[in-house]
Amino acid sequence: MHEFHSDLYEQLRTKRNELAREKRVRPYFILANRSLEEMATDLPQTQEEFANIWGIGPITIQYAGVFLPIIRQYCKEHALRADAPIEFQYALFELLRLRRIEVARRDNTNDLQVFRDRTLEDLATHLPKTREEFRQIWGVDEGRTARYADDFLPIIRQYCGETNEPPLQQVAESSVAFDQNPTAIISVEEEQYADPNEYAPRLYELLRDERDRIPERVNAFQDRTLKQMAAYLPQTESEFLNIDRIGSLLTERYADRFLPIIRDFCRENGISYDRIEPRQRELLDWLRR
């Protein structure tokens, strides 16, 4: 059983509360206490490990660049996590994700038909410079190498050349600087959430009703899956696909049943999103230079 580091927990809680004040939301809309407790116990070092923390989903994953540097610095000062894996380059992942969107539009296909997020994460971790190295990344075969290597390799080479592979602390600081209109919840009335640390109960009930209308009662849409939808409020098919136990087939068949319910709930309850963040605009400008 892993040790709980109470002093690290306090550092994470302080940072979470600072973000909440900046965004003018309640702290639990950033991350729940349980998420911070797991971080202070499991000591995640990469975005992949961060994604395995309770409460981390397609929206809250954006805070990896904020909290991971705190954890990594704490581990360094206390000689912990000697097994820490290769560093993940969060800013590069964002650049690759933006290029994936452009490539998908160019080829008239779905983003995830180009590359899944795990492939982009591996690219932003292992930093391949050649087509041969590109081919070794998870999810990349000969066909995708032929189609996409020239789209993604120049971005990786330019990033490494211009930034000299910056430490994650610098990435975190830059992401906070651009985060003026985040993809987080802007305004919500407190009574909407009976248990704000987990999910929106009223939305969960709506999603469960819709699930029960599906004739075949798909097993993947278990209560836990619906509660995660009601916590992270996916707005697009790509975000829907990132929900636990949801794959491309279920997304294709059922996203159109659940996403309108979530969007209507957000609109009716004053939950707003800015899908074009200033940080993303800055990265897109950098990409197109």
Side-chain angles (χ1 to χ4, degrees):
M1 184 174 180
H2 295 166
E3 177 185 356
F4 173 72
H5 299 272
S6 58
D7 45 349
L8 173 58
Y9 171 78
E10 289 301 325
Q11 292 181 38
L12 297 172
R13 192 169 67 88
T14 298
K15 173 56 71 174
R16 188 269 312 268
N17 293 344
E18 289 176 358
L19 288 175
R21 285 194 294 271
E22 291 174 7
K23 298 173 184 294
R24 293 180 295 177
V25 299
R26 298 177 181 88
Y28 52 71
F29 286 135
I30 304 296
L31 286 174
N33 288 341
R34 177 177 169 184
S35 299
L36 303 183
E37 290 169 359
E38 284 201 13
M39 290 183 210
T41 302
D42 296 341
L43 306 177
Q45 303 287 298
T46 67
Q47 177 155 325
E48 183 176 1
E49 293 181 346
F50 188 81
N52 289 327
I53 295 295
W54 182 93
I56 301 301
I59 294 176
T60 49
I61 193 65
Q62 66 177 303
Y63 299 119
V66 176
F67 291 98
L68 284 179
I70 298 173
I71 300 170
R72 295 180 73 248
Q73 181 62 30
Y74 180 89
C75 291
K76 181 178 179 181
E77 293 174 355
H78 295 80
L80 301 171
R81 284 301 306 268
D83 64 330
I86 301 172
E87 186 173 311
F88 172 80
Q89 303 293 328
Y90 181 77
L92 176 58
F93 171 80
E94 289 293 329
L95 291 170
L96 296 172
R97 189 171 62 83
L98 289 169
R99 175 50 60 89
R100 179 180 65 181
I101 294 172
E102 293 184 336
V103 170
R105 289 173 179 168
R106 180 195 69 195
D107 295 347
N108 193 28
T109 188
N110 183 278
D111 295 359
L112 299 177
Q113 294 298 318
V114 179
F115 284 131
R116 296 180 67 87
D117 284 352
R118 177 177 170 183
T119 300
L120 301 187
E121 291 170 2
D122 275 10
L123 290 171
T125 300
H126 300 293
L127 308 177
K129 307 295 196 309
T130 67
R131 296 175 75 89
E132 182 178 353
E133 293 173 345
F134 188 81
R135 174 67 180 81
Q136 302 305 313
I137 296 296
W138 182 92
V140 179
D141 54 21
E142 292 183 5
R144 282 190 167 87
T145 298
R147 286 196 299 272
Y148 302 126
D150 291 339
D151 290 307
F152 292 92
L153 282 178
I155 298 173
I156 300 172
R157 296 186 189 120
Q158 184 178 359
Y159 176 88
C160 293
E162 293 191 2
T163 64
N164 194 28
E165 302 176 19
L168 199 56
Q169 178 65 44
Q170 294 181 22
V171 175
E173 292 171 353
S174 64
S175 69
V176 172
F178 297 129
D179 195 11
Q180 299 301 317
N181 290 302
T183 317
I185 296 172
I186 302 299
S187 61
V188 178
E189 293 298 327
E190 186 172 3
E191 58 268 24
Q192 289 174 214
Y193 292 85
D195 186 357
N197 284 330
E198 295 188 1
Y199 61 92
R202 286 197 290 154
L203 176 57
Y204 165 67
E205 293 295 335
L206 293 171
L207 296 172
R208 191 173 62 177
D209 289 346
E210 183 62 30
R211 188 234 2 231
D212 292 343
R213 293 189 186 98
I214 300 175
E216 59 270 32
R217 261 315 277 280
V218 181
N219 290 333
F221 296 115
Q222 298 178 0
D223 288 351
R224 175 183 174 183
T225 302
L226 300 181
K227 287 177 181 178
Q228 192 177 81
M229 291 185 202
Y232 300 124
L233 310 176
Q235 305 285 297
T236 65
E237 288 190 0
S238 295
E239 294 175 348
F240 188 82
L241 182 60
N242 284 327
I243 297 294
D244 287 347
R245 306 177 68 87
I246 301 296
S248 57
L249 183 60
L250 289 176
T251 297
E252 180 180 352
R253 289 182 178 177
Y254 300 109
D256 289 343
R257 298 189 70 140
F258 291 100
L259 287 178
I261 296 173
I262 299 171
R263 295 181 188 129
D264 287 346
F265 178 86
C266 292
R267 182 173 60 254
E268 292 169 2
N269 291 277
I271 302 172
S272 60
Y273 290 81
D274 183 354
R275 288 295 165 188
I276 308 296
E277 302 177 40
R279 176 167 53 87
Q280 292 177 338
R281 293 193 189 99
E282 184 79 11
L283 291 169
L284 189 59
D285 290 342
W286 186 93
L287 181 64
R288 288 173 169 168
R289 283 188 314 201

